[in-house]
Amino acid sequence: MEVMDSLAKVRQLQVAPDRQFYSAQHDEIAIGATTDIYFVRTYEILKALGKVDTIVTAEIFPRRAGILCGVNEVLELLREKRVTIWGLPEGSTFSPKEVVMRIQGPYSEFGLFETTILGMLASSSGWATAAREIKEAAGEHPFFCFGARHVHPAVAPVMERAAIIGGASGASCILAAKLAGQEPQGTVPHAIFLIIGDTVEGALAYHRFMPPDAKRTILVDTFKDEAEEALRVAEALGPALAGVRLDTPSERGGVTPELVREVRYRLDAAGFNHVRIFVSGGLTPERIRALIEVGADAFGVGSYISGAAPIDMTMDLKEVEGRPVAKRGRLPGIIPNPRLEKLK
């Protein structure tokens, strides 16, 4: 695969007028078509000067603390390049300005991909960090990433896989779960109950047609009072009911601690102590802590993870032909970090 290492190749790049989607394809990422144009200009100038193969050492550091994710994609991007890579493993914690990755080799082998490398690390680390914040709030209570609907489908699997790296118990996006070596998690949306016309009838249909390994967790906020619907479903499914899901819209106040407390109380009073309460809809770490106190058992989290800001990553050249260098304001030479492992 020919790398886009010249301005002529950039000009020759053709985008089909009938292209189906705007997202980059894997081969376009691999040739450097998603990089910033100034790296191609740099490549051409250094090539003309006979310096493009200069041996350099680059270091990458973040602007704030978080959970590192995207490392595996960077390694795959540079798998066939003549470079040595040290870094923190996928899922590691990091502090502000800590060196999380060091790359050494001819500039021609990786310089063109600076934009791509930083983007892979920045976005995934932001999502993984948000998931870790949810994990810290949820403790031993499982939570699942439901954020695919909030991002472009091209990056939905990347985002939800990052959430799993950060601590999510699973993901609803099919491809994301598969990439993480899991099976996708989820039951059915409100649409099925609206079409069937009744929560209990929908629950019975789910129980009838879904395989035994599909947990019977039923939405109970479509038509009537959530506590009333929870009891109706529990009476209809009995021991087969694993849980009820509360997803009350913000137009009705969302899922409040008072609602969870009442549903838990009424289920227990009726002898349905085995039924767990699954909550979704606009959850944050603060809301999760409050809901756990009143009986919530598990959570579906979307926008808090999917909307997390990327963690700004910077790549600096720190050595040129073994000589310590740095831009103004940075420390010349390699910054020691004993936590780094040789990854390639």
Side-chain angles (χ1 to χ4, degrees), residues 1-15:
M1 188 177 297
E2 193 173 11
V3 174
M4 192 156 296
D5 54 7
S6 70
L7 294 175
K9 290 176 182 176
V10 172
R11 286 190 291 269
Q12 292 164 8
L13 178 65
Q14 297 294 317
V15 178

Side-chain angles (χ1 to χ4, degrees), residues 231 261-277 294-295:
L231 289 175
R261 181 184 290 110
E262 180 183 353
V263 172
R264 181 73 274 159
Y265 182 91
R266 291 182 180 274
L267 284 170
D268 290 346
F272 298 113
N273 310 74
H274 70 282
V275 178
R276 304 177 76 198
I277 297 177
V294 294

Side-chain angles (χ1 to χ4, degrees), residues 212-265:
D213 62 349
K215 285 188 177 181
R216 273 58 178 162
T217 300
I218 307 299
L219 275 163
V220 293
D221 58 25
T222 307
F223 295 112
K224 302 178 182 179
D225 175 78
E226 292 86 347
E228 176 188 349
E229 293 282 64
L231 289 175
R232 291 181 68 225
V233 170
E235 290 165 357
L237 267 62
L241 181 64
V244 293
R245 177 180 162 201
L246 304 176
D247 191 52
T248 306
S250 58
E251 291 84 351
R252 285 300 180 93
V255 181
T256 64
E258 291 75 19
L259 174 60
V260 172
R261 181 184 290 110
E262 180 183 353
V263 172
R264 181 73 274 159
Y265 182 91

